[in-house]
């Protein structure tokens, strides 16, 4: 154990943290008992904690630090913008250079026909914008009955009331009166957990066709939009069967329903193209962006919308906006981040070199006795943990019990992986090198071994009754 001499300050920080700092998605009692891990610095794919441990960050922070930690160019872009103009708003017919430049840059990067950006400071805010924007769009177009939005169970679209309602996390819905009216959920294309005896292809079609059934049930003339992540992230990196997206695209086209692709994780190179929509071959009307847009160096998000939506919304006044919509410092940092992603060929490297390499090494983890499937697109992947691969069984314990054991072994082995239920997730910085990928996979294997040994000791390696 390195740097035991640092323990008193860490313990003190942990006590203050537990006493005063309310954490997102964290069990209060657990925090008070064990203390938070305190991260102090980062460089490339590596973090250092207050105890001096060096951790390989296989989650890129929270799916966002695409260019890695410690890039001074972004620091300088922020400092320069702060001296020049630290803040001005974009309300009431004012603008500023960083917002103009970033909007233009995004219009050129995003798929054809998506040339207009409404800025926010986060993915949640951007999805709230989307919810109001699609409903307003149909009202302005003279179809005011189109107010329903369809989403999916186990989707993640943010944590505000609007975006949390769009999401399909039942644990979130149970707290604070969500979902709000007019939002409807269909099942997710998670073949491993829910596919039963169907082939993945048949299952993908079945799940896509739930969209058509829901549209018919609600009445097509009442449906505004369907929202989905090209690849579900926080739901456990659920890569849909190949049959899924083409069928969804056919259905939204048939009924003239807007498609919102939530690209908050998939965007900016994560899947090996600039946007997940390109990887999955879909044509959204709106894309939600955040996270990798600034590699997390500044809070910024937005909605990139079609020319048609921009035309209709622009025909009136959209009574919506955030003080920090298009914040100049955040825009300047995002621009610099996009320059680096582009000029250093990082997206191409994920598609052609390190992405395929990670995929190959990751797939080999299915040789581990506790790993059922390994799914990955570009640099977002997940492992399904199971006590019985052939049966695709879940554990005879609360979901996430073994996943948490595994995450703790990863932490102990200086590897940051996350668990979603009993799936283990990776989403490393896109700059991860081949030797670092080797380290990631070796540490993951070791952690899986240790977690399985622990699960056996605790009698958890038993399949739940089917
Ligand atoms: C993280 C995330 C959001 C919410 O973004 P915040 O910046 O946390 O508000 C929305 N959609 C997806 C797909 C996400 O992963």
């Amino acid at each position: 154990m390195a740097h035991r001499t640092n323990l008193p300050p860490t313990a003190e920080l942990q006590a203050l943290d537990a006493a005063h700092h309310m954490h997102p998605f964290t069990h209060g009692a657990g925090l008070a008992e064990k203390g938070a891990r305190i991260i102090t610095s980062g460089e490339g794919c590596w973090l250092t904690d207050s105890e001096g441990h060096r951790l390989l960050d296989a989650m890129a922070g929270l799916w966002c630090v695409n260019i890695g930690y410690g890039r001074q160019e972004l620091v300088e872009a922020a400092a320069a913008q702060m001296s020049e103009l630290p803040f001005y708003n974009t309300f009431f017919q004012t603008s500023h250079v960083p917002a103009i430049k970033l909007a233009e840059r995004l219009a050129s990067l995003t798929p054809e026909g998506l040339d207009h950006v409404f800025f926010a400071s986060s993915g949640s805010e951007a999805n709230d914008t989307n919810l109001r924007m699609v409903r307003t769009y149909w009202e302005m177009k003279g179809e005011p009955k189109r107010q329903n939005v369809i989403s999916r169970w186990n989707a993640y679209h943010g944590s505000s009331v609007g975006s949390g309602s769009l999401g399909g996390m039942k644990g979130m819905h149970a707290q604070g009166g969500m979902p709000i009216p007019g939002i409807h959920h269909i099942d997710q294309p998670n073949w491993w957990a829910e596919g039963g005896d169907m082939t993945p292809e048949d299952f993908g079609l079945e799940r896509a066709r739930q969209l058509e059934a829901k549209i018919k049930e609600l009445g097509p003339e009442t449906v505004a939009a369907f929202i989905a992540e090209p690849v579900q992230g926080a739901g456990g990196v659920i890569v849909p069967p190949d049959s899924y997206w083409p069928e969804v695209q056919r259905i939204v086209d048939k009924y003239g329903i807007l498609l919102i692709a939530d690209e908050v994780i998939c965007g900016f190179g994560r899947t090996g193209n600039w946007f997940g929509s390109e990887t999955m071959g879909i044509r959204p009307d709106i894309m939600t962006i955040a996270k990798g847009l600034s590699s997390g160096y500044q809070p910024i998000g937005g909605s990139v919308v079609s020319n048609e939506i921009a035309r209709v919304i622009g025909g009136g006044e959209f009574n919506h906006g955030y003080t920090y919509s298009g914040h100049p410092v955040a825009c300047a940092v995002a621009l610099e981040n996009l320059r680096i992603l582009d000029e250093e060929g990082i997206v191409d490297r994920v598609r052609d070199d390190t992405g395929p390499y990670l995929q190959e090494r990751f797939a080999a983890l299915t040789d581990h006795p506790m790993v059922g499937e390994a799914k990955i697109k570009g640099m977002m992947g997940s492992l399904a943990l199971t006590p019985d691969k052939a049966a695709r069984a879940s554990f005879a314990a609360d979901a996430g019990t073994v996943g948490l054991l595994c995450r703790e072994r990863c932490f102990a082995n200086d590897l940051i992986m996350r668990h979603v239920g009993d799936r283990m997730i990776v989403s490393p910085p896109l700059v991860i090198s081949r030797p670092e990928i080797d380290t990631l996979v070796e540490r993951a294997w070791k952690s899986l071994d240790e977690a399985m040994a622990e699960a056996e000791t605790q009698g958890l390696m038993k399949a739940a009754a089917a």
Side-chain angles (χ1 to χ4, degrees), residues 122-124 127 156-158 229 262 264-265 291:
S122 67
S124 301
N127 277 325
Y156 189 78
H157 297 302
E229 304 150 81
D262 186 337
V264 170
I265 290 175
K291 294 196 171 112

Side-chain angles (χ1 to χ4, degrees), residues 168-182:
M169 298 289 176
K170 290 184 179 163
M172 291 175 69
H173 288 180
Q175 298 174 327
M178 298 196 286
I180 56 173

Side-chain angles (χ1 to χ4, degrees), residues 128 131-132 134-135 145-151 160-167 173 176-185 218 222-225:
D128 278 13
L131 179 58
R132 297 193 56 209
V134 296
R135 289 172 166 173
K145 280 203 309 196
R146 285 197 188 255
Q147 296 292 301
N148 287 314
V149 176
I150 301 172
S151 177
S160 58
V161 174
S163 63
S165 295
L166 287 172
H173 288 180
M178 298 196 286
I180 56 173
I183 295 173
H184 309 268
H185 297 83
L218 294 166
T222 74
V223 180

Side-chain angles (χ1 to χ4, degrees), residues 112-346:
E112 213 185 303
L114 299 180
D115 294 333
H116 303 264
V117 188
F118 194 105
F119 286 114
S121 297
S122 67
S124 301
E125 287 181 1
N127 277 325
D128 278 13
T129 298
N130 293 339
L131 179 58
R132 297 193 56 209
M133 178 127 62
V134 296
R135 289 172 166 173
T136 306
Y137 165 81
W138 287 114
E139 266 164 27
M140 288 181 170
K141 259 182 91 89
E143 294 194 54
K145 280 203 309 196
R146 285 197 188 255
Q147 296 292 301
N148 287 314
V149 176
I150 301 172
S151 177
R152 307 183 294 182
W153 294 117
N154 201 38
Y156 189 78
H157 297 302
S159 193
S160 58
V161 174
S163 63
S165 295
L166 287 172
M169 298 289 176
K170 290 184 179 163
M172 291 175 69
H173 288 180
Q175 298 174 327
M178 298 196 286
I180 56 173
I183 295 173
H184 309 268
H185 297 83
I186 59 173
D187 290 324
Q188 61 176 339
N190 180 347
W191 176 78
W192 173 266
E194 301 173 8
D197 294 335
M198 298 176 95
T199 65
E201 296 315 293
D202 286 348
F203 175 73
L205 288 176
E206 187 271 324
R207 289 293 150 110
R209 286 173 189 159
Q210 282 195 15
L211 175 60
E212 188 156 29
K214 181 61 80 178
I215 291 168
K216 286 183 172 159
E217 175 197 323
L218 294 166
E221 72 290 350
T222 74
V223 180
F226 174 60
I227 181 169
E229 304 150 81
V231 178
Q232 285 159 265
V237 184
I238 310 301
V239 180
D242 290 342
S243 57
Y244 181 75
W245 271 117
E247 184 66 1
V248 168
Q249 184 73 55
R250 180 190 70 76
I251 293 164
V252 293
D253 287 348
K254 177 173 171 192
Y255 295 95
I257 285 159
L258 299 174
L259 175 59
I260 307 170
D262 186 337
E263 294 269 4
V264 170
I265 290 175
C266 294
F268 307 103
R270 175 65 51 202
T271 68
N273 289 292
W274 277 96
F275 297 97
S277 294
E278 296 162 289
T279 304
M280 306 314 275
I282 53 178
R283 297 183 307 280
D285 301 284
I286 298 181
M287 296 195 325
T288 319
I289 56 174
K291 294 196 171 112
L293 169 58
S294 66
S295 283
Y297 280 58
Q298 283 283 296
I300 182 167
S303 310
V304 188
V305 316
S306 73
N307 300 343
E308 161 71 359
I309 293 174
R311 183 185 66 74
V312 171
I313 292 287
E317 178 168 340
F318 186 30
N319 298 317
H320 175 72
Y322 306 107
T323 300
Y324 298 137
S325 286
H327 190 286
V329 178
C331 288
V333 168
L335 268 169
E336 186 61 9
N337 173 60
L338 297 180
R339 186 192 66 74
I340 289 172
L341 278 173
D342 182 29
E343 287 181 12
E344 296 185 3
I346 293 169

Side-chain angles (χ1 to χ4, degrees), residues 11 14-15 17-19 26-36 408:
Q14 287 172 327
D17 182 64
T26 301
H27 198 288
L31 189 70
E33 189 187 302
K34 281 180 50 197
E408 296 200 320

